[in-house]
């Protein structure tokens, strides 16, 4: 690798800085998986269509396959490995286990990171395409099953675990907001 | 050592809900799939697919590629190691394994080279810039009814291509009511979320492989055969698999190339398919063109049933989508005929895909029955009740239980079917037309020989080993429950290890036969172990192990029609202006033997039902006859049901005991996807009055089909 096609960057992942030399073409997804050993973030399509590689960038959802690693410097990156609080699972993770919100588990890290984003976006009052009243003064809509489905639709699940995922996100929302 | 399993009451792990044992690993990202395993000195392979649909590779500029940064090797037909010709694997002869063994291009997307480099970026760039020229030949990818190349073989992989009894034509002529309808289904792709991946390396004379496969043992055995290796020298693991649905049951090019490359380079090599390659290298479900002719008396009793089905295969290997077999066990008629034909096209080779045959076949036949019910002025459930066969319509064998009508009764009660207004096109909800539909479902109950080993340890715990696969089915958890009950201990004392070819021969996760086949082997070994411990046998320091092999037991099963059954219900809303169809709710009630783990079983059944929804409304791979390739080899163009497409989907079951069955477990992996598309299509008719006979029912098809 010549100097012109690679660079030294520092990625802040799950609260830890990692300094590494990357090929400029390296996606954030490949940097996480191949360079930092954080293989919890999955590659389902590598073109931003399936959501399996969803991570949080500065708290907001992003597909890591469409992000170059060099562009993720100075962002706070949260991957599935950073969702639990030490040994204590996040309510979303707990709900996925209890309600069987998965089958093969491959889309699960992306679904969970996406659900975290959904809960934050909803709490911040963001409407979705199915929100009936989008006026700011209307406040956050009720987090109905339809709202969850709409907001989670960037995350495909071929096993068809959708109904249980929606239940899990709804249950976690109650725990988080309690 | 104490005989730890005696004295207590039998536990009842089976039948009670258990969360997945690997759940914590799956929600924390700790679960490692095939592409997640690290290795020192790992090199990366990237497959170069052909860009023409038929012809020969004329030139391939590997010299230029080898000069690119990081490139270690360019494998192709001119330098690749030789594989076993006339390879016959677990699923019979399979020339799709002959990667780089010839210069022929049988379809667009066939692998012509594989670049191996230090990093994925380097491999990808060299692969994408590799100059390949072809001597092209005219291709034919145009699947259509009446194709002159269609032929009817003697046998399909799953049975005879044709069955016939009585005189169909005479019975049709004597019928009061005749339905004669053509149906078509689109080319479908498995599209598991995990693309196929394999990592291979040689370690002390042994080939160590991690692969995303539905059967570690079968894949290892086939791989050894293909490379001419001693089977004992191949060790293959597949601890976690990100969905299979039939496309991970065979040796695929990524695995072959990882082995070729590691053998050449002497370092670990990983090959992962791109999403686009997932549409060409791993099989798919052929499009089908089907015709159903039903003749009945005015009372709805069938006199004639004819189901013919045409599918496509490749020029490389014959695979027939067995759509017409659905009626062979489901409905009887004095004149009864089922016929499969197939046409060889310049397309990739199709393969088993979740509910092979049953998914498209049940769509056609269950929709035709709905048309017959309408013509006879009968409720669709009453029509099916009038046509319950006493014995297997084709086999003449007795049924080992057939609780189809009980499924309908329970489903009708819960869905609120009774009192349904049969008239189509009369229910409005704003811009929506609303309707309900139903259909039957069945899937055969099979078992395949498997081996297992169960070990008692001195500390009172147990380890079971079996080369099973958990592709999302919950097999790991279900087998733990079964082992615990057979040992009469709590599941917490049992560890089940799976997905390792060293554990010996076992059936793969396919044909809805996994849990039945593996559970049988585990139960036999565990029971014998418990009995020996009960008799006071000592546990040596390295444990007391009992092995089982179910081959004899499986082969001595009495001949019956063995099936699971189900009743599918759906409510849809159709906007005739935009053509949009929304499924509002689905209910499936199944009779599927002993349910081992209600929590994961419900997930699997609803997952199958969602496949039916996706087949009915969304999935369609579109082939461009000019290039010969698909135009939508990605998950934006090939739409599978997403969250927003999927309403409340409920699956439940009724008791389905079979005291004469040695296992009592039936498969549930596929039956959810049988009849579910038909229920939706029948509901669309009830909503609109329009019979859609071509899947998927795209919005344009709704708009262009005028309402009566």
């Amino acid at each position: 690798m010549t100097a012109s096609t690679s660079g030294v960057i520092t990625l802040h992942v799950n609260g830890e800085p990692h300094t590494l030399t990357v090929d400029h073409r390296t996606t954030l997804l490949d940097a996480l998986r191949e360079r930092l050993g954080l293989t919890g973030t999955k590659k389902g399509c590598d073109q931003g269509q399936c959501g399996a590689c969803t991570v949080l960038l500065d708290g907001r959802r992003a597909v890591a396959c469409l992000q170059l690693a060099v562009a993720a410097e100075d962002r706070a990156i949260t991957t599935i490995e950073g969702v639990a609080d030490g040994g204590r699972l996040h309510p979303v993770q707990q709900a996925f286990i209890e309600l069987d919100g998965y089958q093969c588990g491959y889309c699960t890290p992306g679904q969970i990171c996406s659900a975290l984003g959904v809960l934050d976006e909803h709490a911040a009052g963001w409407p979705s395409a199915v929100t009936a009243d989008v006026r700011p003064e209307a406040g956050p809509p009720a987090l109905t099953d339809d709202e969850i489905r709409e907001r989670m639709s960037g995350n495909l699940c071929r096993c068809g675990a959708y109904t249980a995922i929606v239940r899990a996100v709804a249950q976690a929302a109650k725990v988080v907001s309690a | 050592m104490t005989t730890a399993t005696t004295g207590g009451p039998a536990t009842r792990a089976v039948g009670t809900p258990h969360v997945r044992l690997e759940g914590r690993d799956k929600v924390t990202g700790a679960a490692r799939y095939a592409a997640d395993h690290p290795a020192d000195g790992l090199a990366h392979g990237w497959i170069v697919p052909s860009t023409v649909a038929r012809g020969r590779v004329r030139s391939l500029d590997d010299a230029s590629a080898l000069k690119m940064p990081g490139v270690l090797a360019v494998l192709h037909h001119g330098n690749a190691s030789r594989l076993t010709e006339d390879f016959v694997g677990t699923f019979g002869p399979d020339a799709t394994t002959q990667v780089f063994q010839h210069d022929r291009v049988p379809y667009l997307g066939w692998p012509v080279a594989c670049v191996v480099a230090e990093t994925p970026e380097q491999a990808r760039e060299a692969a994408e810039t590799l100059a390949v020229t072809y001597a092209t030949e005219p291709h034919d990818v145009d699947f259509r009814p009446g194709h002159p190349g269609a032929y009817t073989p003697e046998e399909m992989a799953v049975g005879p291509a044709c069955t016939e009894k009585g005189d169909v034509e005479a019975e049709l002529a004597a019928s009061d009511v005749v339905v004669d309808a053509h149906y078509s289904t689109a080319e479908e792709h498995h599209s598991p979320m995990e693309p196929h991946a394999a990592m291979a390396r040689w370690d002390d004379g042994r080939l160590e492989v991690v692969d995303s496969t539905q059967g570690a043992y079968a894949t290892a055995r086939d791989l050894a055969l293909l490379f001419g290796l001693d089977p004992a020298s191949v060790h293959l693991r597949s601890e976690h698999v990100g969905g299979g649905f039939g496309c991970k049951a065979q040796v695929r090019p990524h695995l072959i190339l990882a082995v070729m490359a590691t053998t050449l380079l002497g370092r670990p090599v990983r090959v992962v398919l791109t999403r686009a390659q997932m549409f060409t290298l791993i099989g798919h479900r052929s499009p089908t063109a089907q015709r159903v002719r039903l003749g009945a008396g005015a009372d709805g009793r069938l006199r004639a049933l004819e189901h013919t089905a045409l599918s496509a295969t490749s020029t490389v290997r014959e695979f027939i989508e067995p759509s017409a077999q659905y009626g062979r066990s489901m409905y009887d008629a004095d004149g009864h005929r089922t016929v499969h034909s197939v046409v060889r096209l310049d397309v990739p080779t199709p393969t088993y895909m979740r509910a092979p045959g049953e998914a498209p076949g049940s769509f056609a036949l269950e929709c035709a029955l709905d048309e017959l019910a309408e013509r006879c002025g009968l409720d669709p459930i009453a029509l099916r009740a009038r046509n319950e066969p006493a014995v297997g319509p084709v086999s003449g064998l007795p049924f080992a239980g057939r609780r189809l009508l009980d499924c309908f009764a329970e489903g009708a009660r819960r869905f609120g079917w009774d009192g349904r207004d049969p008239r189509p096109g009369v229910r409005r909800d704003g811009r929506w037309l609303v309707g309900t539909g139903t259909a039957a479902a069945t899937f055969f109950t099979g078992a395949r020989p498997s081996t297992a080993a169960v070990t008692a340890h001195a500390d009172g715990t147990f380890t079971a080993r079996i080369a099973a696969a958990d592709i999302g089915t919950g097999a790991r958890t279900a087998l733990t429950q079964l082992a615990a009950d057979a040992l009469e201990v709590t599941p917490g004392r049992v560890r089940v290890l799976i997905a390792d070819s060293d554990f010996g021969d076992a059936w793969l996760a396919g044909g809805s036969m996994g849990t039945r086949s593996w559970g049988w082997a585990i139960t036999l070994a565990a029971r014998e172990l418990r009995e020996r411990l009960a008799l006071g046998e000592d546990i040596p320091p390295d444990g007391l192990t009992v092995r089982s092999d179910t081959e004899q037991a499986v082969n001595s099963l009495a001949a019956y029609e063995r099936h699971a059954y189900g009743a599918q219900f759906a409510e849809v809303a159709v906007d005739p202006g935009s053509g949009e169809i929304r499924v509002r709710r689905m209910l499936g009630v199944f009779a599927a033997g002993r349910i081992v783990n209600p929590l994961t079983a419900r997930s699997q059944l609803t997952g199958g039902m969602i496949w039916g929804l996706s087949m009915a409304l969304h999935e369609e791979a579109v082939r461009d006859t000019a290039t010969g390739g698909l135009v939508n080899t990605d998950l934006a163009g090939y739409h599978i049901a997403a969250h927003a497409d999927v309403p409340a989907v409920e699956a439940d079951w009724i008791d389905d005991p079979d005291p004469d069955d040695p296992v009592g477990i039936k498969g549930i992996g596929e039956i959810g996807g049988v009849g579910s598309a038909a229920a939706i299509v029948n509901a669309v008719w009830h909503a609109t009055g329009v019979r859609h006979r071509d899947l998927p029912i795209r919005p344009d098809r709704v708009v262009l089909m005028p309402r009566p």
Side-chain angles (χ1 to χ4, degrees), chain B residues 120-348:
Chain B
E121 292 83 9
Q122 292 165 337
R124 179 179 184 175
E125 181 171 6
E128 290 182 349
T129 55
L130 185 74
V132 184
T133 63
Y134 301 91
T136 58
E137 299 163 13
H139 61 257
D140 178 9
V141 300
D142 190 13
F143 177 76
R144 60 189 187 278
H147 193 290
Y151 63 96
T152 295
E154 282 289 304
E155 285 285 324
M156 309 184 291
V158 295
C162 302
T163 63
E164 180 156 18
K165 72 170 184 180
D167 187 336
V168 168
E169 301 301 336
E171 294 295 336
L172 281 170
S175 293
D176 298 317
V177 185
V178 171
V179 171
D180 181 354
H182 294 263
Y183 298 88
S184 75
T185 60
E187 177 177 326
E188 288 191 290
H189 289 262
H190 305 72
S191 309
M193 297 315 299
E194 179 206 22
H196 292 52
M199 181 176 74
R201 66 188 161 87
W202 284 97
D203 184 7
D204 201 17
R206 223 170 168 221
L207 184 63
E208 292 285 342
V209 181
V210 182
D211 184 31
S212 35
T213 173
Q214 295 173 230
Y217 185 86
T219 300
R221 178 179 55 203
D222 287 357
L223 190 63
L225 184 60
L226 189 61
F227 279 86
L229 300 169
D230 173 5
S233 70
V234 176
H235 182 212
L236 190 147
R237 293 172 299 137
S238 57
E239 182 71 33
H240 297 287
V241 182
F245 318 116
C247 70
K248 290 176 178 165
Q250 291 155 251
V251 172
R252 294 298 187 188
H254 68 288
L255 173 57
I256 297 166
L257 296 175
V259 173
M260 279 185 183
T262 194
T263 305
L264 177 73
L265 297 171
R267 56 191 279 191
V269 177
R270 181 194 294 153
V271 180
V272 185
L273 298 189
T274 65
R275 182 50 63 180
Q277 290 165 359
M278 293 291 288
F279 285 83
T280 52
L281 295 178
I282 58 155
H284 59 275
R285 193 196 312 278
S286 165
T288 70
Q290 304 177 57
R291 183 184 185 191
V292 177
R293 291 197 295 166
L294 301 176
D299 61 356
R301 282 197 174 79
L302 287 169
R303 301 186 62 148
L305 184 158
E306 184 192 60
H307 190 169
T308 63
L310 173 70
S311 62
T313 190
S314 70
T315 61
V316 181
R317 183 184 185 208
E318 182 187 82
F319 179 88
I320 297 161
E321 181 73 15
S323 306
Q325 70 173 353
Y326 176 77
R328 292 177 182 175
S329 73
M330 268 309 257
Y331 301 109
D332 204 357
D334 285 342
H336 194 290
R337 181 160 60 204
T338 63
V339 180
H340 295 90
S341 53
V342 66
V343 57
R344 290 183 181 276
L345 299 174
D346 301 310
V347 299

Side-chain angles (χ1 to χ4, degrees), chain A residues 25-26 33-34 42-44 47 49 80 87 93 100 102-106 111 149 152-153 158-159 162, chain B residues 20 23-24 26-27 33 35-36 125 189-191 270 275 603 607 611 619 634-635 641 643-644 646:
Chain A
R25 298 168 296 190
T26 305
R33 290 178 50 82
E34 305 296 338
K42 301 304 182 201
K43 184 184 286 189
Q47 49 195 8
Q49 297 170 341
I80 190 66
Q93 293 171 309
D100 211 41
Y102 48 20
Q103 290 177 42
C104 78
Y106 197 79
Q111 300 273 1
R149 289 181 189 121
M152 291 292 291
S153 275
R158 184 52 157 168
C159 298
Y162 293 127
Chain B
R20 287 170 206 265
R24 194 181 179 92
K26 282 182 173 173
V27 302
Y33 297 75
D36 299 343
E125 181 171 6
H189 289 262
H190 305 72
S191 309
R270 181 194 294 153
R275 182 50 63 180
S603 294
W611 270 55
E619 293 182 42
D634 60 65
L635 294 172
H643 272 286
V646 177

Side-chain angles (χ1 to χ4, degrees), chain B residues 298-302 376 378 380-389 405:
Chain B
D299 61 356
R301 282 197 174 79
L302 287 169
C376 294
L378 279 172
I381 297 175
L383 178 83
R384 286 165 177 88
R386 236 162 247 191
N387 284 289
E388 270 292 277
L405 296 184

Side-chain angles (χ1 to χ4, degrees), chain A residues 1 32-33 35 41-42 56 65 88 111 125 128 141 149 161:
Chain A
M1 234 181 290
L32 292 170
R33 290 178 50 82
R35 305 298 305 283
T41 307
K42 301 304 182 201
L56 299 173
C65 70
R88 201 161 56 90
Q111 300 273 1
S128 83
R149 289 181 189 121

Side-chain angles (χ1 to χ4, degrees), chain A residues 11-167:
Chain A
L11 295 176
H12 297 268
V13 187
N14 302 327
E16 298 281 329
H18 300 268
T19 299
L20 63 163
T21 304
V22 293
D23 186 323
H24 289 157
R25 298 168 296 190
T26 305
T27 61
L28 175 59
L29 176 58
D30 282 338
L32 292 170
R33 290 178 50 82
E34 305 296 338
R35 305 298 305 283
L36 303 183
L38 296 169
T39 53
T41 307
K42 301 304 182 201
K43 184 184 286 189
C45 70
D46 212 17
Q47 49 195 8
Q49 297 170 341
C50 77
C53 66
T54 303
V55 297
L56 299 173
L57 286 184
D58 296 330
R60 286 176 57 175
R61 296 186 274 174
V63 282
C65 70
L66 292 189
Q67 185 85 18
L68 290 172
V70 292
E73 271 203 297
D74 305 322
R75 312 284 299 271
I77 302 161
T78 303
T79 70
I80 190 66
E81 290 91 346
V83 171
D85 181 6
R88 201 161 56 90
L89 295 180
H90 188 279
V92 171
Q93 293 171 309
Q94 194 63 42
F96 268 66
I97 292 177
E98 288 171 11
L99 300 175
D100 211 41
Y102 48 20
Q103 290 177 42
C104 78
Y106 197 79
C107 73
T108 308
Q111 300 273 1
I112 288 173
C113 287
S114 200
L116 296 174
V118 166
L119 298 183
D120 279 353
E121 291 157 22
H122 176 258
W126 292 21
S128 83
V130 298
T131 304
D133 189 346
V134 297
R135 294 169 305 148
E137 58 269 33
L143 198 56
T144 60
D145 286 354
D146 278 346
E147 283 281 356
I148 294 171
R149 289 181 189 121
E150 177 63 28
R151 292 163 189 260
M152 291 292 291
S153 275
N155 293 83
L156 297 174
C157 167
R158 184 52 157 168
C159 298
Y162 293 127
T163 53
I165 293 171
V166 170
R167 277 197 292 273

